[in-house]
Amino acid sequence: MKYATPLCLTALIALLSGCSSMKVTSEKSADFDYSAVQTYQWVPAPQKILDEDGTLLNESLQQALNRELKAHAWKEVLTTEPADLQVVYYIKLTEHEEYTGPADNAPSRLTGGFTYNKGSWGYKDQQPDLNVYTVEVGTVSLLLYNAKTGQKIWTGTLQTRLDRTTPLDQQQKKLHLIARKITDELPRK
C-alpha cells in the first residue's frame, strides 16, 4: 500500500473541521447475514482507484477504523487466515468553491446589470456581495466484501470539508471521530 505524504496526511487529518458538516451515506446488501460476521482482513484498494488523482491512504485513519471494527466485536485476521469479510478504504480529495454573503447582513446587490436612471437605460458594474473561496472536500470510502464470494456487501462514505488550520492534536481526535461516524452505519448483529 502506498501512504500519503506528510502534507496529504495533514490535509486528511483535518477532515473534520466541523463534525456537523460530515455527511455519511451507506448501502448494504440485503441478502448477506451480517450477524454471522466474526472476522475481517484488510486488503488493498484496487490499483485503478489508487492511481486516480487526489486518492490517498492514511495509516492513522486505518488504525482508527480498525479500533471501530473491533468495537463491533469483529476480530482482525492476517491475510493468510480465512476471514468472513475483506475490508478496503481510501480517501478522495477534491476542491470545491464556497461562497459567503455580506458580513453585515445587508441586502444583496447585483454585481452588475442594466439600470434605469433619469429616463435612460445603462449598464453599471458594482462590487460583488459574494466572497468566493476554494476549500478541499475529503470523501472517505469504506467497503466490505464477502471474503468467500468476493461480492461487495456494504459501502459507506463520509464527506466533509477540510481545514488545515486545525492543531495536530485535535486532528488526531477527529480522525477517530471520522472512523466512528462511518462505522456507526454498519449493520448491527
Side-chain angles (χ1 to χ4, degrees):
M1 287 187 159
K2 69 179 184 183
Y3 290 97
T5 62
L7 179 60
C8 290
L9 174 63
T10 301
L12 171 67
I13 292 175
L15 274 172
L16 255 172
S17 63
C19 302
S20 61
S21 65
M22 283 190 234
K23 295 190 308 187
V24 180
T25 58
S26 65
E27 184 178 311
K28 71 177 186 171
S29 172
D31 60 347
F32 183 79
D33 182 11
Y34 295 91
S35 66
V37 174
Q38 294 181 8
T39 58
Y40 68 96
Q41 62 187 186
W42 290 101
V43 294
Q47 194 62 44
K48 171 175 104 171
I49 292 173
L50 295 177
D51 288 342
E52 293 177 8
D53 288 341
T55 302
L56 55 108
L57 301 175
N58 178 287
E59 191 172 346
S60 296
L61 178 59
Q62 183 175 341
Q63 290 172 356
L65 287 166
N66 216 21
R67 273 191 286 271
E68 293 302 321
L69 293 173
K70 288 177 181 179
H72 278 72
W74 295 352
K75 179 185 173 197
E76 180 184 15
V77 296
L78 300 175
T79 56
T80 57
E81 300 175 49
D84 300 319
L85 299 177
Q86 292 179 327
V87 182
V88 173
Y89 84 98
Y90 59 92
I91 301 104
K92 191 84 169 147
L93 299 175
T94 57
E95 289 186 349
H96 175 73
E97 285 187 353
E98 291 194 0
Y99 306 90
T100 59
D104 60 359
N105 293 327
S108 182
R109 298 183 326 215
L110 294 174
T111 58
F114 290 103
T115 60
Y116 185 77
N117 189 13
K118 298 183 183 177
S120 66
W121 287 92
Y123 183 83
K124 182 177 179 186
D125 285 323
Q126 295 178 348
Q127 291 294 340
D129 288 330
L130 293 178
N131 298 315
V132 180
Y133 57 98
T134 302
V135 296
E136 284 185 304
V137 175
T139 302
V140 177
S141 295
L142 181 64
L143 306 125
L144 304 181
Y145 292 87
N146 182 333
K148 293 176 182 64
T149 66
Q151 295 293 322
K152 184 169 40 172
I153 60 162
W154 186 83
T155 303
T157 57
L158 178 144
Q159 187 175 54
T160 189
R161 183 177 157 199
L162 302 175
D163 183 2
R164 294 179 192 236
T165 61
T166 306
L168 289 176
D169 60 330
Q170 291 177 2
Q171 293 174 9
Q172 192 65 30
K173 291 176 187 175
K174 292 178 182 183
L175 265 182
H176 296 286
L177 211 50
I178 290 170
R180 180 167 297 137
K181 194 147 177 102
I182 199 167
T183 57
D184 279 348
E185 298 295 319
L186 286 169
R188 301 289 180 205
K189 290 186 176 186

